[in-house]
Amino acid sequence: MKHHSVAAAALTLLFATATAAAGPGSLSAYSASGKSGQALPVIKETLVAPPDVPAAIHRDYPARVVVQLETKEVVKKIASGLNYDFWTFNGTVPGPLIRVREGDTVELHLRNDPSSHMTHNIDLHAVMGPGGGAAATMTPPGQESVFAFKAMRAGIYVYHCATPPVPMHIANGMYGMILVEPPQGLPPVAHEYYVMQGDFYTTTGYKYTGYTTGAHPTPLLAFDLQKMLKEQPTYVLFNGQEGSLIGDHALHAKVGDTVRLFVGDGGPNLTSSFHIIGQIFDDVQVEGGTLVNHNVQTTLIPPGGAVTVELKTLVPGTFLLVDHAITRAFMKGALGQLVVSGEPQPELYHKVSSGPAPADKAGAF
């Protein structure tokens, strides 16, 4: 385990250096005002559970946005008939999407639930500073940490817990995303949804239900460190649960709608080959940055990365969201649905016929 202790020591040194660099009181003082020293208007961020996202921003001025997150360790369903002890932000996997505007000062409050067994923190990839905020938010159970940062670059970014051992905290579900809108905002669309892929490592095989644990009548799956080290997940999931975007939980749109998806990969290990069967992405904001690609069938999302995709729903039907490393979709759980309602569009898509091939046409092809 020597390599684990070396990694932990390096993170401890990073956190100590970042805390010293910040200086006592400097973060709270910075959060209260803009560059000119004038007080910014204060807005409390309204957070919602995925796959929903906060409302679009319509203001044309910077603000001090107060964001309140709580780390919670919760037992929840991971698959039908199976539970898992997730480590979360605000009780969901992924944690809620945070939505701010370029130029905003974000004051982030991180509370660790008193019932937690672990210390937790947060590293936001939108933060340009040591540790992404991790140094300032190392928070034991029952405590709260606060830090502030200026959102300086527009884009879609991942956040995650960075408490050692970092991969274990992420593998247990501690990730989410923060959207930094450009000053002019984003073009309006009919629907916006939020999806994150993650890989989960349990001591049993996929959908194994042969035992129960402790006081839980539903089998409680345990984390498997060796599987994580070998990068061999039992489950690969959208939004932390098999079926999280299926049936009653499917995403919805109508024919002719433009749909915007904020899609991230929490990891900790696998790259996502994100694809929607029967759709072509009109626009893909590559790696969450300012480069936009067009007419894309499948887009790669690395662990700790994200993209924004937009598509227009031209015909009705049920369209499957998948990781096109396709075993992960149909045999490990990375599967969702976009259900499009509306009138058929036979000039764009229709079935012509099916049945036995006519005998006189055998071999005609």
Side-chain angles (χ1 to χ4, degrees):
M1 300 296 288
K2 182 177 179 181
H3 60 292
H4 292 155
S5 62
V6 171
L11 284 167
T12 300
L13 178 60
L14 170 64
F15 295 164
T17 302
T19 303
S26 61
L27 289 175
S28 59
Y30 179 65
S31 71
S33 64
K35 184 176 180 181
S36 66
Q38 296 178 341
L40 296 173
V42 177
I43 296 173
K44 183 177 179 181
E45 174 81 334
T46 300
L47 300 175
V48 295
D52 294 328
V53 302
I57 296 172
H58 298 294
R59 53 187 165 83
D60 59 358
Y61 54 86
R64 180 162 66 98
V65 181
V66 179
V67 177
Q68 295 179 318
L69 293 176
E70 183 176 34
T71 55
K72 294 182 178 181
E73 300 166 15
V74 297
V75 174
K76 297 177 63 176
K77 183 172 78 171
I78 189 170
S80 179
L82 295 168
N83 285 341
Y84 187 78
D85 191 2
F86 290 97
W87 301 354
T88 74
F89 291 98
N90 285 28
T92 64
V93 179
L97 185 137
I98 301 167
R99 191 168 197 158
V100 299
R101 177 185 180 274
E102 182 181 333
D104 284 347
T105 293
V106 181
E107 182 182 300
L108 192 142
H109 296 241
L110 185 72
R111 180 179 182 272
N112 192 352
D113 186 86
S115 66
S116 294
H117 297 92
M118 302 291 292
T119 293
H120 296 299
N121 66 0
I122 188 169
D123 166 7
L124 302 102
H125 294 184
V127 173
M128 298 180 69
T137 56
M138 190 68 78
T139 310
Q143 302 294 309
E144 182 183 74
S145 299
V146 184
F147 88 110
F149 66 94
K150 189 169 184 178
M152 293 186 282
R153 303 287 173 85
I156 182 74
Y157 301 94
V158 167
Y159 65 78
H160 59 85
C161 186
T163 301
V166 180
M168 183 177 180
H169 285 249
I170 294 174
N172 282 328
M174 297 200 76
Y175 47 78
M177 294 203 295
I178 176 171
L179 170 65
V180 182
E181 288 198 20
Q184 71 275 17
L186 296 177
V189 294
H191 302 280
E192 292 182 325
Y193 295 112
Y194 167 38
V195 178
M196 285 196 78
Q197 181 172 313
D199 25 295
F200 293 86
Y201 303 82
T202 68
T203 52
T204 61
Y206 177 64
K207 289 192 174 181
Y208 178 79
T209 58
Y211 73 101
T212 60
T213 301
H216 298 280
T218 301
L220 180 62
L221 304 185
F223 172 75
D224 190 319
L225 176 62
Q226 293 305 312
K227 280 187 178 179
M228 185 186 72
L229 295 176
K230 294 177 182 178
E231 302 187 5
Q232 296 175 344
T234 316
Y235 293 88
V236 182
L237 302 174
F238 293 140
N239 289 8
Q241 180 185 310
E242 187 172 36
S244 65
L245 303 174
I246 297 288
D248 291 342
H249 306 291
L251 309 181
H252 286 269
K254 295 180 180 179
V255 170
D257 285 348
T258 297
V259 178
R260 178 181 292 135
L261 301 177
F262 304 110
V263 188
D265 187 345
N269 293 321
L270 301 186
T271 294
S272 175
S273 302
F274 184 71
H275 175 80
I276 300 181
I277 299 174
Q279 295 286 348
I280 297 172
F281 302 138
D282 297 309
D283 299 314
V284 175
Q285 195 175 339
V286 180
E287 296 177 351
T290 55
L291 177 66
V292 177
N293 201 357
H294 305 288
N295 303 329
V296 176
Q297 58 184 326
T298 302
T299 187
L300 291 175
I301 312 173
V307 300
T308 301
V309 303
E310 293 185 8
L311 60 133
K312 191 163 186 177
T313 51
L314 300 179
V315 300
T318 297
F319 302 87
L320 297 181
L321 287 68
V322 299
D323 179 342
H324 216 297
I326 208 71
T327 301
R328 301 174 187 172
F330 295 107
M331 304 188 75
K332 287 182 179 285
L335 194 66
Q337 293 177 327
L338 172 63
V339 178
V340 179
S341 59
E343 293 298 318
Q345 306 294 317
E347 72 281 7
L348 299 180
Y349 176 89
H350 71 281
K351 181 175 180 177
V352 176
S353 66
S354 63
D360 61 345
K361 292 186 179 180
F365 299 111

